[in-house]
Amino acid sequence: MSTFPPAGDALPADALPADAPSGDAPSGANAPSGADVSVDREDALRANRENWDDRADIHAASAMYDLPGFAADPGQLSEVAAEDLAILGPHLPGGTVARLDVVHLQCHVGKDTLSLARLGARVTGVDLSPRSLEIARGLARECGLEARFVEADVQHAADAVDDTFDVVYTSIGTVTWLPDLGAWARSISRLLRPGGTFFIRDGHPMLYTLDDARSDLLEVRYRYFPSALSQTWVDTFSYTGDPTPIEHPRTYEWPHSLAEIIGSLLGAGLRITSFDEQQTVPWPAHPLMEETDGVWAFPEPLRQTVPTTYSITAVKDA
């Protein structure tokens, strides 16, 4: 997979240090797309930042994001936020984010963040990409909404955001971009107030193992479990389908299994209150998927064979 790629296993992220042995894996600079590579984490994050800066302008101009339409309609919520809130709502006081302080990790251009603001949340967005945040701030001004946007590596968001929150929210295209889930989870715990709720919905690690070059069948091609290695991808165009090429097409991602994701949250002292798996995604993640009402899913009977997203809520007990 290459659009919002993979996720690791029961090993905690701390068991996979940046200097762990990597065998005979190639370095990342010239490796083919989808290869496991040994790469310096800071170099990888720098490449990802450049890539998402490129994507920010492409996405802001795309029909998929439709930022002008979002700004023009004060009642509009992003499809991602609307679906997330249907899952998250029952775990919030009063079933709503209204009057709550919410931090959105990996907020990109801010459409989902500002959807929460439209529902009455006091929002802070955090993202690695400065260009994405420029667009998010401009969108907030166009919408007449108050929002704070902070540039930071979300693995260390608590160091950059001097505050605590009722809700820490992250959704779609998240942990695959992070090498250290232990640091990520500890930062989430620090950001949460006692009694606060964490929410994630993301592409399922099993989905990311599938060969997305095959349009005739579902075939496992990429690894499910974590290691010290990254996976590198070279995508000339973004998932929005726009024809503008990405200037910095190489990215680095890290597979994380469900065991590692859940284990990192438990290891940070959070209590899991719900876990679920779903059958749709908000982007065309595989050639066999079909679009229905703004989301993509495998046709039946394939839909019953592979989960496409998962969701978790967790609480920081007082």
Side-chain angles (χ1 to χ4, degrees):
M1 302 295 290
S2 58
T3 315
F4 280 122
D9 180 320
L11 285 173
D14 291 349
L16 304 172
D19 58 354
S22 56
D24 297 323
S27 62
N30 300 304
S33 191
D36 282 340
V37 297
S38 176
V39 63
D40 178 84
R41 288 183 177 181
E42 290 305 314
D43 289 343
L45 292 175
R46 188 178 305 111
N48 290 349
R49 181 185 297 110
E50 291 174 343
N51 178 272
W52 281 98
D53 278 348
D54 292 346
R55 291 186 194 234
D57 285 304
I58 294 170
H59 294 175
S62 71
M64 177 181 282
Y65 279 80
D66 187 21
L67 297 189
F70 180 77
D73 181 0
Q76 185 184 136
L77 303 179
S78 73
E79 281 129 354
V80 167
E83 188 166 348
D84 290 342
L85 289 165
I87 302 169
L88 174 59
H91 300 275
L92 297 176
T96 177
V97 294
R99 298 177 297 282
L100 298 182
D101 294 312
V102 179
V103 61
H104 179 189
L105 305 181
Q106 291 165 277
C107 66
H108 192 32
V109 295
K111 186 175 180 181
D112 301 333
T113 320
L114 296 174
S115 294
L116 302 179
R118 279 182 167 165
L119 293 173
R122 296 178 291 270
V123 297
T124 298
V126 181
D127 201 87
L128 184 71
S129 161
R131 181 57 186 147
S132 294
L133 295 175
E134 288 177 20
I135 292 169
R137 293 184 187 106
L139 182 61
R141 287 192 295 271
E142 288 183 58
C143 294
L145 294 169
E146 290 189 16
R148 175 174 57 152
F149 291 99
V150 178
E151 181 185 340
D153 172 358
V154 297
Q155 297 169 119
H156 308 289
D159 295 329
V161 181
D162 186 21
D163 207 346
T164 58
F165 299 86
D166 302 302
V167 177
V168 176
Y169 166 85
T170 191
S171 185
I172 302 300
T174 63
V175 296
T176 64
W177 299 99
L178 308 177
D180 188 347
L181 290 197
W184 169 77
R186 289 190 296 273
S187 186
I188 288 166
S189 182
R190 288 172 58 196
L191 288 166
L192 281 171
R193 294 170 184 159
T197 297
F198 169 69
F199 173 84
I200 182 172
R201 181 170 67 98
D202 206 354
H204 199 286
M206 195 61 215
L207 174 67
Y208 293 144
T209 68
L210 300 178
D211 186 349
D212 60 350
R214 296 293 299 265
S215 60
D216 56 335
L217 53 76
L218 298 183
E219 181 177 68
V220 172
R221 178 177 178 182
Y222 304 109
R223 65 181 165 91
Y224 177 89
F225 294 104
S227 77
L229 301 178
S230 169
Q231 287 178 329
T232 188
W233 304 93
V234 182
D235 291 308
T236 305
F237 303 100
S238 193
Y239 54 84
T240 56
D242 292 85
T244 304
I246 298 171
E247 184 178 349
H248 302 90
R250 184 175 294 276
T251 57
Y252 299 90
E253 301 172 25
W254 292 266
H256 302 293
S257 68
L258 286 177
E260 187 193 10
I261 296 164
I262 292 171
S264 69
L265 298 170
L266 293 173
L270 302 183
R271 176 170 54 87
I272 306 294
T273 55
S274 74
F275 170 78
D276 203 356
E277 295 168 300
Q278 295 88 27
Q279 296 178 314
T280 66
V281 288
W283 83 98
H286 191 278
L288 286 173
M289 285 186 165
E290 300 173 344
E291 184 180 5
T292 305
D293 297 326
V295 297
W296 280 262
F298 290 115
E300 297 288 6
L302 290 180
R303 190 173 303 184
Q304 307 305 318
T305 62
V306 179
T308 56
T309 56
Y310 68 92
S311 59
I312 299 169
T313 59
V315 170
K316 180 177 180 178
D317 289 322

